[in-house]
Amino acid sequence: MDKNKVIEGQQFMQGFVRLCSDGWLQGWHERNGGNLTYRLTDAEVAACKPYFNETPGEWVNMGVQADNLRGAFFATTRSGGYMRNVAVDPARNTGIVQINDAGDSWRIVWGLEDGGVPTSEFPSHFMNHSVRVDVTDGACRVIYHAHPDNIIALTKVMPLDAREFTRALWKAMTECIVVFPMGVGVVPWMVPGGADIAHATCDLMKKYDAAIWAQHGMFVSGPDFDNAFGLMHTIEKAAAIHGHALMMNNNSGDFMNTITDRGLRDIARDFKLTVNEEFLD
């Protein structure tokens, strides 16, 4: 029996691979840009355990710790790996890691073949998972980081302010306030991969499902792959619409037609949404 094929055939792994491929096809993952992690359910762990490596890898300390993720298992992309290669060889370009009982170290139990390790952003993902597990009562299982063109472009021409970005995106198209009613957070430019940007993102993820990284990309969270990808896709499409409208309007945000704040409140009422009142006039 090919143990890799058994794990690759699991529904969660198929969803994991599909999201990586979909992000690549959108153009969000140049070279080895972007990363993805998924927290397995107990049932998924039980289904995969018989096919894990006979000898797990060594424990690797992350430099961060979370009590609410002690003993958790995560699927992760490979450090330095290319999203376009995930579907071609999942066992090399993805893997499953186990978190220790102290909640501060991981070890490889499957995949990441030929000396691979989890994404270099794994500590940031881990910290964000911890925050989102708390604020969603455990519903959040996906953290996804990508480099969408239009949202990055807007960070070069708009104030790096959550209210400014959220209002522009909400007013770009009607569905936006439905998809992310609490808005989006914005992290100013920071060196990626370090503790500062990880902590800054975690602070925002206590309130938002998505955080924009200036001149870099975006982090989104969700209960499953469809919701996480859909959130990234919706925000990026709204950013493209807003950017195109600015160019058509001589770079002025004083548009002839837009969704009013009254209109946004009407959407919230009809869809029974709890929205971020701080972002409405």
Side-chain angles (χ1 to χ4, degrees), residues 68-82:
N68 63 354
L69 294 177
R70 295 170 185 259
F73 288 77
F74 290 92
T76 175
T77 47
R78 179 189 183 104
S79 179
Y82 288 44

Side-chain angles (χ1 to χ4, degrees), residues 265-281:
R265 290 184 184 280
D266 288 345
I267 296 169
R269 180 200 64 217
D270 288 359
F271 281 81
K272 297 179 175 56
L273 305 172
T274 298
V275 301
N276 191 341
E277 289 288 338
E278 296 175 12
F279 294 164
L280 289 172
D281 289 337

